[in-house]
Each structure stands twice: as C-alpha cells, then as structure tokens.
Amino acid sequence: MSQKYKGKFQIKKAFCFRIYLILELIILLSFCTTDAFASESKKENKVFQWEDYKVAAHALGGMNDLNYLNSKESFVNAYENGIRLFEVDLSRTSDGIWVCRHSWKESLGQWNENNQRILSYEEFMSSSIYGQYTPLSFTDLLLLLKEYPDAYVMIDSKQYSVRSYQRTVEDYAELLEEAQSAGAEKQMSQLIPEIYNQSMFSGIKLIYDFPAYIFSLWKEYSKQEIEEIADFCKEKGILAAAVYSDYWNDEIQNIFDQRKIHVFVYTVNDIKDAQSYLKQGAQGICSDFLLDPDLKTNKKEN
C-alpha cells in the first residue's frame, strides 16, 4: 500500500473509531435516560399501600403550635420533615368554591370579629391565615401535588350527617371537573376520600376510581355497628379505617384486625400515646405535629 493510500486508510479508520465511540456514548446515555425515566415514572406511579405510612399530617400539618392551618407552608414543612401522607379539610366559600378549610367557626386570623363568618372565595384567598400562611383552594392543592408526586392526601369533606349518595355524586363530580379545568386530573390519583357511610362509597366510585379509601368513624358506634362497618370495608376493599381517639379501644381494634383492615387513630399529638396505639395494633395516627421518625416502635404480635 502506498504511503498516500495508507494515510487515507488511517484517517478513515480514526474517523470510524470516533463514530463508534459516539454511537456507544449515545446508546449508554439512552439507557441512563431510560432508567432515570423509569425510576421517576415508578416514583410517580407507586402503588399506594397503607403499610407504608405511620403518620398522616392532620389538616396538612401544624406549625408553631398552630393547627387546622390547611396551608401551603404547613404542607411543605411536613413534607420536608418526611411526611408523605396528609389529611385536608374541604369547605365551601359563601359563593360555593371548594377551599382547604376545616370550618368557618373560627377566624384563624382571617377576620377580626369574634363572630362566625363564611368568607367569599376572593376574601378567603386574599386573607393569610394568622397573617403568615397561604390559604389554598382545592385547585391550588392539586397544583401543589404536581410538585410532590409521591404525596397522598386524604379528603375530609365534612357534612357527615347529610352525606348522601346524591350529595356525594354531585360534590365529587364537581371536584373532578375542577381538576380537569386546572389540567390536574392526574393529581386526583393522589387523593384518598374519607367515607362516612356506606352510600358514600358507591357515589364516589361512580365518579372516579381513587387509589384507596378510608372509612372515618367520626362518632361513637355500637359494637354491632362497628362490625357492620368492618364487614362493609372488607367486602368493598376499603383497607383502612380512621377512629377518633376518644372512641378507640381494644375491641374496635380487634374487630378491624380480624378483617385485615388498618386502623389510624386521630388526632394524636402526644408521642407516648401514639406509640401506645401502634403497640396495640394501630397502623398509624393522624397528627398535627408528630413526624414518622418519632414513631419507631413495634406493633403488637398477632
């Protein structure tokens, strides 16, 4: 081979080797990107399991000894401290808009008078809670969940005594419509409805198939009523029940344990009480201030 052609051959060989390295790099990067995407996708599409949680942040968590905040700052604070399961209260403003508020009985610093008021949407959104916390509408909550795809929120929509099938269908249809209008329908899969009676469940299921449901025992029930509720939960695949701390006892715990239904006790802010509930079989607690790391304890042995 002449020196001229030998030189050209070496140039072509070097060029081909560079192309080969570039292709190798592209293939490697594509695998890395795919793995990263798969990992992120898996994170966002994680199957919800009650066993993964010991604490739910009550009313999106408390701050500075203040509770029932249902605010952006309290949510972010709880999340940054390890909480991934939340509870939020929904109420309507005077003009019928869903917002994150426990009730209108207390001002929470949003008005000066001592008397009860129901604010309009504009009044609510323009008045900070206790002068420092950002109020949230239901739409704001969904948009916030876009930023935290591994967080789940239990929805407490109140009105226990009047909660009927028809009322449930209307309310949840409206919530779904709000989500669609905000481009946040996907975030509905991060919500967990609280059920207050049997008719609610079929009404909610008609509107949307949520990742989980929790039956809320918001008053004192007889043993027969508890057993009927537990049987209903088992039949419908409702795998958790929330029990008010004043009404919790070993008998109620055992009724749900026998049907493999997780019990969350609310609202618990004393760590010794929380650990006691867990040791006696509760899966977790709903709390204003306690965080997951505070509750490292073994449950009772079956």
Side-chain angles (χ1 to χ4, degrees):
M1 182 182 293
S2 69
Q3 192 66 29
K4 177 180 178 182
Y5 286 110
K6 185 177 181 181
K8 288 184 178 179
F9 176 76
Q10 289 175 338
I11 292 172
K12 288 182 179 180
K13 184 178 179 182
F15 177 76
C16 291
F17 183 69
R18 288 179 184 176
I19 294 295
Y20 170 78
L21 288 178
I22 292 171
L23 289 174
E24 283 286 303
L25 181 60
I26 291 172
I27 292 171
L28 180 61
L29 288 174
S30 69
F31 274 115
C32 292
T33 304
T34 301
D35 288 343
F37 177 80
S39 176
E40 186 64 25
S41 178
K42 184 177 180 181
K43 179 181 177 182
E44 293 190 18
N45 295 294
K46 174 186 174 184
V47 176
F48 181 86
Q49 300 285 344
W50 288 107
E51 295 90 338
D52 295 338
Y53 308 94
K54 288 183 295 187
V55 176
H58 181 238
L60 299 184
M63 291 182 71
N64 301 318
D65 294 324
L66 298 172
N67 56 7
Y68 290 102
L69 298 177
N70 288 295
S71 72
K72 178 179 180 180
E73 290 81 3
S74 58
F75 173 92
V76 172
N77 176 69
Y79 185 93
E80 290 179 347
N81 280 281
I83 297 294
R84 295 296 181 269
L85 180 61
F86 298 79
E87 183 262 3
V88 72
D89 304 295
L90 293 185
S91 296
R92 288 185 185 274
T93 60
S94 61
D95 44 350
I97 307 300
W98 287 107
V99 295
C100 300
R101 205 182 207 277
H102 180 261
S103 71
W104 300 105
K105 293 180 180 179
E106 297 180 354
S107 72
L108 304 184
Q110 289 191 299
W111 62 85
N112 295 324
E113 302 90 340
N114 293 324
N115 58 313
Q116 180 177 327
R117 288 186 58 189
I118 301 179
L119 300 181
S120 68
Y121 174 76
E122 184 177 349
E123 289 172 329
F124 174 76
M125 296 303 297
S126 62
S127 304
S128 60
I129 299 167
Y130 292 116
Q132 55 185 322
Y133 303 114
T134 305
L136 296 170
S137 66
F138 175 69
T139 297
D140 291 331
L141 175 64
L142 294 178
L143 296 177
L144 185 61
L145 288 177
K146 275 190 174 184
E147 302 176 39
Y148 301 89
D150 59 338
Y152 289 89
V153 181
M154 298 186 291
I155 299 294
D156 185 354
S157 54
K158 301 290 181 292
Q159 302 163 320
Y160 314 112
S161 59
V162 297
R163 183 60 65 179
S164 64
Y165 173 85
Q166 184 62 34
R167 180 68 173 271
T168 299
V169 169
E170 292 171 356
D171 286 350
Y172 272 84
E174 188 174 325
L175 294 176
L176 178 58
E177 185 178 352
E178 282 196 37
Q180 292 170 336
S181 297
E185 184 176 352
K186 181 180 179 181
Q187 278 57 56
M188 292 289 284
S189 65
Q190 292 175 253
L191 304 182
I192 300 169
E194 290 190 36
I195 309 295
Y196 316 128
N197 57 54
Q198 285 88 333
S199 64
M200 273 193 74
F201 181 73
S202 54
I204 292 174
K205 289 284 285 185
L206 180 67
I207 301 301
Y208 191 87
D209 188 19
F210 289 91
Y213 304 83
I214 185 167
F215 200 111
S216 182
L217 281 70
W218 57 277
K219 62 179 182 178
E220 192 168 9
Y221 298 83
S222 68
K223 179 182 178 182
Q224 181 180 346
E225 288 174 323
I226 296 291
E227 289 178 335
E228 289 175 355
I229 290 171
D231 286 339
F232 175 80
C233 289
K234 182 178 180 180
E235 176 190 347
K236 300 299 184 182
I238 301 171
L239 300 180
V243 181
Y244 186 49
S245 58
D246 286 354
Y247 306 138
W248 180 95
N249 55 49
D250 283 335
E251 184 175 59
I252 290 176
Q253 182 67 51
N254 289 332
I255 288 172
F256 285 107
D257 281 347
Q258 290 167 8
R259 294 158 178 83
K260 301 187 185 309
I261 296 167
H262 301 293
V263 170
F264 281 76
V265 184
Y266 70 98
T267 302
V268 183
N269 289 318
D270 182 88
I271 188 167
K272 291 183 179 179
D273 288 342
Q275 290 173 335
S276 177
Y277 288 126
L278 265 65
K279 286 179 180 178
Q280 295 178 79
Q283 168 61 38
I285 53 103
C286 191
S287 178
D288 296 305
F289 306 110
L290 297 179
L291 305 176
D292 283 354
D294 298 325
L295 294 173
K296 291 181 178 178
T297 184
N298 295 323
K299 293 177 68 174
K300 70 177 181 181
E301 294 183 3
N302 294 323

